[in-house]
Amino acid sequence: MSELIKVGMADYKVGCNPSSLISYGLGSCVGIALYDTVTKIGGLAHIMLPDSTQARSAENPAKFANTALPLMLDEMINLGAAKKRVLAKIAGGAQMFTFANATDVMRVGERNTEAVRMLLKKMDIKIIADDTGGNYGRTVVLHLDTGIYLIKTIAKGEKEL
Amino acid sequence: MSDEILKLSMLQLDALREIGNVGAGNSATALSQIINRKIDMTVPKIAIMPLGEVPDVVGGPDAMVAGVYLRVFGPAPSSILFLLPRDSAFYLVDMLMGREQGHTTSLNSMDESALMEIGNILAGAYLNALSHFTSLTLLPSIPALAMDMAGAILSVILIQLGQMGDHALVIETEFTTESDGVKGHFFLIPDPGSLNTILAAIGVKE
């Protein structure tokens, strides 16, 4: 029986085959799946904001991409993953409400996605698939037996990355 | 720096609850007049909770809800979010459009406009009360609507709060109609800094 590990908002979890990692209802947040195809060790982060250095409170490192990802990667390596094999798939970063003159506050999804891309590049982790943007929510599941990143939406059906 | 909202005193929380009470009362009266039904309203809950737990208030992050979102402009910028479970949203538009109950299974653009207008009226009524108490001029933006997972819709305001801390101050009221199942949640979420402005304006700033 494979375990389904829940990842809340501003949180991350790691696991190994045959578990799955799930995070419900991503909107402007970004769900970052890291996976080592050989050891089948993976991690899923549900980040809210790109950068802890621009925030006034940085007590929860899992909230920010720049602090969550290195910690998650370390935990994966502790379980036996090798950094050079780790690949990334990302989803989320939607803009849920559309206004005629969108302010920066409203474009947070786009900024989040961009920051995650830059960060992964800096960490030298390749993004092999993504499903970002749009104006709809996503529930994401990382299946650690296959590495498939399943994206579920209400209006647009399901998609495997 | 830790969350400022964790340092609120009982007096300050009571003051915020009372504003919520009057604001939500105005909103409930307005809604009741539109749909011509008696509306019951819970005493507003003031809760300080971790950001990740806020979606549980409306049935979990993957619950399907309709959300009407408005920005509040003025000296205390805030966000207003009116959330309805999907079935309640359908029920409400059937009622507004004079259709038989159970008719609506998805929203057309007229239905969406109707829901946005409801959000507009509720927000207006609420802000009137808030402006009255605080003598601050607070004006709502035009409303925007989304029908999606609760977590996704709430992320819009939770991310704004996340820049300040790890907790949300949620002023929440639940509306229910007397006999049938329309249920709604009304959230007022002050932007970082706005809470202090509001507390100062009602004279309970420490």
Side-chain angles (χ1 to χ4, degrees):
Chain A
M1 185 64 193
S2 65
E3 196 192 348
L4 190 64
I5 303 166
K6 273 185 206 155
V7 183
M9 180 181 275
D11 197 5
Y12 71 85
K13 293 276 164 60
V14 299
C16 24
N17 183 28
S19 306
S20 296
L21 300 160
I22 185 162
S23 200
Y24 295 101
L26 271 83
S28 301
C29 300
V30 181
I32 305 143
L34 297 184
Y35 187 64
D36 174 348
T37 46
V38 174
T39 55
K40 300 189 186 235
I41 288 163
L44 180 62
H46 180 154
I47 64 103
M48 294 179 76
L49 290 159
D51 190 352
S52 63
T53 59
Q54 285 171 18
R56 265 205 249 180
S57 161
E59 281 174 17
N60 172 13
K63 194 161 70 179
F64 307 96
N66 71 319
T67 43
L69 287 187
L71 286 172
M72 184 164 86
L73 186 63
D74 279 349
E75 285 190 27
M76 286 170 59
I77 290 168
N78 282 342
L79 288 176
K83 192 194 166 228
K84 62 177 187 327
R85 289 194 301 259
V86 169
L87 298 169
K89 296 179 180 178
I90 62 171
Q95 184 180 329
M96 298 304 298
F97 293 99
T98 320
F99 286 100
N101 49 350
T103 59
D104 264 6
V105 174
M106 305 305 302
R107 274 197 292 266
V108 65
E110 202 179 303
R111 281 190 289 135
N112 264 343
T113 312
E114 206 164 302
V116 166
R117 283 183 203 283
M118 274 167 58
L119 179 67
L120 285 167
K121 193 168 183 187
K122 217 169 93 189
M123 291 172 72
D124 205 17
I125 296 173
K126 199 176 166 198
I127 300 173
I128 53 167
D130 61 41
D131 179 42
T132 59
N135 61 351
Y136 49 89
R138 295 167 173 91
T139 287
V140 297
V141 193
L142 175 64
H143 293 283
L144 294 172
D145 52 347
T146 55
I148 285 173
Y149 195 32
L150 179 69
I151 319 293
K152 300 186 206 177
T153 70
I154 286 169
K156 311 267 172 187
E158 291 188 7
K159 191 178 196 177
E160 283 186 0
L161 294 184
Chain B
M1 189 166 86
S2 72
D3 291 75
E4 278 171 15
I5 53 173
L6 296 176
K7 297 179 196 140
L8 291 174
S9 66
M10 286 304 287
L11 177 70
Q12 290 173 321
L13 289 174
D14 279 343
L16 291 170
R17 186 178 295 118
E18 183 53 24
I19 294 177
N21 205 3
V22 176
N26 279 0
S27 299
T29 307
L31 183 60
S32 152
Q33 282 165 359
I34 305 166
I35 64 176
N36 202 20
R37 288 245 196 329
K38 187 166 173 276
I39 301 268
D40 287 323
M41 180 194 97
T42 60
V43 175
K45 274 181 273 186
I46 297 269
I48 293 169
M49 57 178 88
L51 295 178
E53 286 175 19
V54 178
D56 294 333
V57 174
V58 292
D62 58 340
M64 175 84 151
V65 296
V68 181
Y69 177 83
L70 300 98
R71 285 289 297 158
V72 177
F73 301 115
S78 306
S79 295
I80 283 178
L81 189 62
F82 181 57
L83 283 188
L84 293 152
R86 176 175 53 183
D87 293 346
S88 290
F90 290 165
Y91 192 97
L92 200 55
V93 292
D94 279 338
M95 201 145 50
L96 290 166
M97 297 293 179
R99 290 187 300 237
E100 213 175 293
Q101 285 307 324
H103 178 92
T104 301
T105 51
S106 67
L107 300 179
N108 63 32
S109 59
M110 272 300 284
D111 300 339
E112 288 181 358
S113 297
L115 279 180
M116 282 193 266
E117 190 49 29
I118 294 279
N120 213 6
I121 290 164
L122 293 184
Y126 197 102
L127 288 179
N128 264 344
L130 188 56
S131 293
H132 179 76
F133 268 102
T134 58
S135 306
L136 303 170
T137 306
L138 300 167
L139 296 167
S141 71
I142 52 163
L145 178 92
M147 184 90 156
D148 214 307
M149 305 167 191
I153 288 178
L154 281 165
S155 75
V156 175
I157 45 179
L158 296 179
I159 286 175
Q160 288 169 37
L161 290 171
Q163 291 167 355
M164 278 300 282
D166 295 316
H167 292 79
L169 169 75
V170 175
I171 305 172
E172 194 228 7
T173 308
E174 199 173 295
F175 297 109
T176 42
T177 53
E178 209 177 15
S179 53
D180 33 46
V182 179
K183 211 171 149 180
H185 300 263
F186 188 93
F187 293 91
L188 171 75
I189 309 216
D191 282 7
S194 292
L195 190 56
N196 278 336
T197 310
I198 292 171
L199 291 171
I202 52 176
V204 290
K205 189 160 167 32
E206 315 234 284

